[in-house]
């Protein structure tokens, strides 16, 4: 498994969401414009550490559609070297960065997690090569944080678990590579 650049996954999700959103219809001519909403406070009060509200999280395949620019929710990842997969979380927050701790557990040692591979800062591999922890601070983009991985030669087939702790809130994704 290898970690994917976050910008590539963010652009992919934005394209996928735009393609799947229905067009907005204009209001009828007799409709009154909606009242302006009160502005949301984006700066926490003094002494407040801010808030993070997880609205949704999903696991699936990136680059799944025929256009190569979509996200497909699933719990099955085909064993195809280079196939992108991962999770995203939609959140509401006033924090500029979110702390994420991601634990990945493989069904057997992953040969792609060798001692010769340069790891991203914040990532450690267990001595048995069956689990990895990737801890980092991320900046939400349009209320989204994303983690992408890709199938690498030597990844074992079987059932995996990703436990993502997002600002102290746990999301678990169970999936199978086959």
């Amino acid at each position: 498994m290898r970690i994917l650049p976050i910008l590539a996954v963010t652009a992919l999700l934005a394209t996928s969401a735009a393609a799947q959103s229905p067009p907005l219809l204009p209001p009828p001519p007799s409709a009154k414009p909606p009242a302006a909403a009160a502005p949301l406070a984006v700066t926490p009060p003094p002494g407040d550490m801010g808030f993070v509200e997880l609205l949704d999280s999903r696991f699936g395949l990136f680059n799944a559609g025929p256009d190569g620019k979509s996200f497909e929710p699933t719990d099955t990842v085909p064993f195809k070297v280079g196939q992108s997969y991962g999770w995203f979380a939609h959140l509401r927050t006033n924090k500029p960065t979110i702390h994420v701790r991601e634990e990945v557990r493989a069904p057997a040692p992953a040969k792609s997690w060798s001692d010769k591979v340069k790891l991203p800062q914040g990532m450690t591999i267990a001595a048995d090569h069956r689990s990895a922890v990737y801890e980092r601070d991320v900046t939400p983009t349009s209320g989204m944080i994303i983690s992408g991985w890709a199938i690498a030669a030597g990844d074992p087939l079987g059932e995996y678990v990703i436990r993502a702790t997002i600002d102290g809130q746990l999301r678990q994704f169970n999936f199978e590579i086959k």
Side-chain angles (χ1 to χ4, degrees):
M1 281 176 270
R2 60 185 171 87
I3 194 78
L4 293 177
I6 193 69
L7 292 177
V9 177
T10 303
L12 172 68
L13 270 180
T15 304
S16 177
Q20 295 174 10
S21 297
L24 296 175
L25 299 175
S30 63
K32 293 181 182 177
L40 293 175
V42 291
T43 306
D48 185 1
M49 298 305 291
F51 70 90
V52 174
E53 179 184 0
L54 282 175
L55 304 173
D56 188 21
S57 59
R58 308 260 172 115
F59 177 88
L61 303 178
F62 298 114
N63 301 321
D67 62 355
K69 296 181 179 179
S70 63
F71 176 80
E72 178 185 325
T74 184
D75 59 1
T76 302
V77 177
F79 184 82
K80 179 177 150 189
V81 172
Q83 172 63 62
S84 304
Y85 64 94
W87 57 268
F88 71 87
H90 181 213
L91 47 92
R92 191 170 67 91
T93 185
N94 61 355
K95 291 176 133 182
T97 59
I98 308 297
H99 188 75
V100 176
R101 183 177 195 277
E102 190 172 8
E103 301 171 46
V104 180
R105 184 77 152 136
K111 293 177 184 169
S112 58
W113 287 346
S114 75
D115 297 331
K116 298 173 186 170
V117 175
K118 180 161 174 39
L119 300 174
Q121 184 176 352
M123 185 175 205
T124 57
I125 304 294
D128 67 1
H129 292 244
R130 290 193 59 206
S131 63
V133 173
Y134 188 25
E135 198 158 355
R136 67 239 184 244
D137 291 325
V138 298
T139 301
T141 302
S142 299
M144 303 275 284
I145 57 171
I146 300 160
S147 181
W149 298 80
I151 298 290
D155 285 349
L157 300 178
E159 295 182 8
Y160 285 71
V161 175
I162 293 178
R163 294 171 49 92
T165 305
I166 303 161
D167 195 60
Q169 301 171 62
L170 177 65
R171 294 295 185 265
Q172 182 167 306
F173 305 101
N174 300 312
F175 62 99
E176 184 176 7
I177 295 179
K178 60 181 182 176

